PDB file of all heavy atoms in Angstrom:
ATOM      1  N   ASN A 106      11.526   4.893  -3.737  1.00 90.00           N
ATOM      2  CA  ASN A 106      11.813   6.326  -3.680  1.00 90.00           C
ATOM      3  C   ASN A 106      10.516   7.115  -3.700  1.00 90.00           C
ATOM      4  O   ASN A 106      10.264   7.880  -4.610  1.00 90.00           O
ATOM      5  CB  ASN A 106      12.715   6.707  -4.855  1.00 90.00           C
ATOM      6  CG  ASN A 106      13.344   8.082  -4.669  1.00 90.00           C
ATOM      7  OD1 ASN A 106      13.282   8.666  -3.592  1.00 90.00           O
ATOM      8  ND2 ASN A 106      13.943   8.597  -5.726  1.00 90.00           N
ATOM      9  N   PHE A 107       9.684   6.918  -2.695  1.00 94.00           N
ATOM     10  CA  PHE A 107       8.386   7.571  -2.623  1.00 94.00           C
ATOM     11  C   PHE A 107       8.484   8.849  -1.807  1.00 94.00           C
ATOM     12  O   PHE A 107       9.224   8.923  -0.819  1.00 94.00           O
ATOM     13  CB  PHE A 107       7.352   6.624  -2.011  1.00 94.00           C
ATOM     14  CG  PHE A 107       6.876   5.579  -2.979  1.00 94.00           C
ATOM     15  CD1 PHE A 107       7.691   4.528  -3.349  1.00 94.00           C
ATOM     16  CD2 PHE A 107       5.612   5.654  -3.528  1.00 94.00           C
ATOM     17  CE1 PHE A 107       7.266   3.565  -4.255  1.00 94.00           C
ATOM     18  CE2 PHE A 107       5.164   4.688  -4.427  1.00 94.00           C
ATOM     19  CZ  PHE A 107       5.994   3.649  -4.789  1.00 94.00           C
ATOM     20  N   GLU A 108       7.736   9.856  -2.199  1.00 94.00           N
ATOM     21  CA  GLU A 108       7.873  11.176  -1.579  1.00 94.00           C
ATOM     22  C   GLU A 108       6.636  11.643  -0.829  1.00 94.00           C
ATOM     23  O   GLU A 108       6.742  12.530   0.009  1.00 94.00           O
ATOM     24  CB  GLU A 108       8.240  12.204  -2.649  1.00 94.00           C
ATOM     25  CG  GLU A 108       7.290  12.233  -3.830  1.00 94.00           C
ATOM     26  CD  GLU A 108       7.853  13.028  -4.994  1.00 94.00           C
ATOM     27  OE1 GLU A 108       8.379  14.131  -4.754  1.00 94.00           O
ATOM     28  OE2 GLU A 108       7.760  12.559  -6.145  1.00 94.00           O
ATOM     29  N   TYR A 109       5.495  11.086  -1.124  1.00 95.00           N
ATOM     30  CA  TYR A 109       4.269  11.502  -0.448  1.00 95.00           C
ATOM     31  C   TYR A 109       3.709  10.313   0.313  1.00 95.00           C
ATOM     32  O   TYR A 109       3.667   9.201  -0.217  1.00 95.00           O
ATOM     33  CB  TYR A 109       3.239  12.020  -1.456  1.00 95.00           C
ATOM     34  CG  TYR A 109       3.743  13.161  -2.296  1.00 95.00           C
ATOM     35  CD1 TYR A 109       4.115  12.949  -3.624  1.00 95.00           C
ATOM     36  CD2 TYR A 109       3.864  14.439  -1.772  1.00 95.00           C
ATOM     37  CE1 TYR A 109       4.590  13.994  -4.403  1.00 95.00           C
ATOM     38  CE2 TYR A 109       4.336  15.486  -2.547  1.00 95.00           C
ATOM     39  CZ  TYR A 109       4.704  15.257  -3.852  1.00 95.00           C
ATOM     40  OH  TYR A 109       5.176  16.286  -4.613  1.00 95.00           O
ATOM     41  N   TRP A 110       3.221  10.578   1.543  1.00 97.00           N
ATOM     42  CA  TRP A 110       2.803   9.493   2.426  1.00 97.00           C
ATOM     43  C   TRP A 110       1.469   9.789   3.082  1.00 97.00           C
ATOM     44  O   TRP A 110       1.182  10.933   3.443  1.00 97.00           O
ATOM     45  CB  TRP A 110       3.862   9.276   3.510  1.00 97.00           C
ATOM     46  CG  TRP A 110       5.175   8.846   2.943  1.00 97.00           C
ATOM     47  CD1 TRP A 110       6.189   9.651   2.511  1.00 97.00           C
ATOM     48  CD2 TRP A 110       5.595   7.501   2.722  1.00 97.00           C
ATOM     49  NE1 TRP A 110       7.220   8.880   2.020  1.00 97.00           N
ATOM     50  CE2 TRP A 110       6.887   7.566   2.144  1.00 97.00           C
ATOM     51  CE3 TRP A 110       5.027   6.258   2.958  1.00 97.00           C
ATOM     52  CZ2 TRP A 110       7.602   6.423   1.800  1.00 97.00           C
ATOM     53  CZ3 TRP A 110       5.752   5.126   2.610  1.00 97.00           C
ATOM     54  CH2 TRP A 110       7.019   5.211   2.049  1.00 97.00           C
ATOM     55  N   GLY A 111       0.690   8.722   3.241  1.00 96.00           N
ATOM     56  CA  GLY A 111      -0.510   8.815   4.042  1.00 96.00           C
ATOM     57  C   GLY A 111      -0.164   8.703   5.512  1.00 96.00           C
ATOM     58  O   GLY A 111       0.989   8.513   5.886  1.00 96.00           O
ATOM     59  N   GLN A 112      -1.200   8.773   6.354  1.00 95.00           N
ATOM     60  CA  GLN A 112      -0.982   8.802   7.792  1.00 95.00           C
ATOM     61  C   GLN A 112      -0.780   7.418   8.397  1.00 95.00           C
ATOM     62  O   GLN A 112      -0.368   7.309   9.558  1.00 95.00           O
ATOM     63  CB  GLN A 112      -2.176   9.502   8.490  1.00 95.00           C
ATOM     64  CG  GLN A 112      -3.380   8.612   8.751  1.00 95.00           C
ATOM     65  CD  GLN A 112      -4.256   8.376   7.531  1.00 95.00           C
ATOM     66  OE1 GLN A 112      -3.879   8.653   6.396  1.00 95.00           O
ATOM     67  NE2 GLN A 112      -5.447   7.855   7.776  1.00 95.00           N
ATOM     68  N   GLY A 113      -1.066   6.399   7.638  1.00 95.00           N
ATOM     69  CA  GLY A 113      -0.895   5.036   8.135  1.00 95.00           C
ATOM     70  C   GLY A 113      -2.147   4.491   8.784  1.00 95.00           C
ATOM     71  O   GLY A 113      -2.967   5.242   9.319  1.00 95.00           O
ATOM     72  N   THR A 114      -2.287   3.174   8.705  1.00 96.00           N
ATOM     73  CA  THR A 114      -3.405   2.497   9.339  1.00 96.00           C
ATOM     74  C   THR A 114      -2.890   1.195   9.954  1.00 96.00           C
ATOM     75  O   THR A 114      -2.111   0.463   9.334  1.00 96.00           O
ATOM     76  CB  THR A 114      -4.543   2.240   8.333  1.00 96.00           C
ATOM     77  OG1 THR A 114      -5.674   1.695   9.002  1.00 96.00           O
ATOM     78  CG2 THR A 114      -4.121   1.306   7.213  1.00 96.00           C
ATOM     79  N   GLN A 115      -3.319   0.910  11.179  1.00 97.00           N
ATOM     80  CA  GLN A 115      -2.818  -0.252  11.909  1.00 97.00           C
ATOM     81  C   GLN A 115      -3.518  -1.524  11.468  1.00 97.00           C
ATOM     82  O   GLN A 115      -4.754  -1.571  11.400  1.00 97.00           O
ATOM     83  CB  GLN A 115      -3.021  -0.062  13.414  1.00 97.00           C
ATOM     84  CG  GLN A 115      -2.596  -1.248  14.262  1.00 97.00           C
ATOM     85  CD  GLN A 115      -1.089  -1.428  14.309  1.00 97.00           C
ATOM     86  OE1 GLN A 115      -0.343  -0.476  14.519  1.00 97.00           O
ATOM     87  NE2 GLN A 115      -0.634  -2.670  14.125  1.00 97.00           N
TER      88      GLN A 115
END
Side-chain angles (χ1 to χ4, degrees):
N106 195 11
F107 283 73
E108 54 193 315
Y109 303 104
W110 297 88
Q112 83 281 14
T114 186
Q115 177 71 47

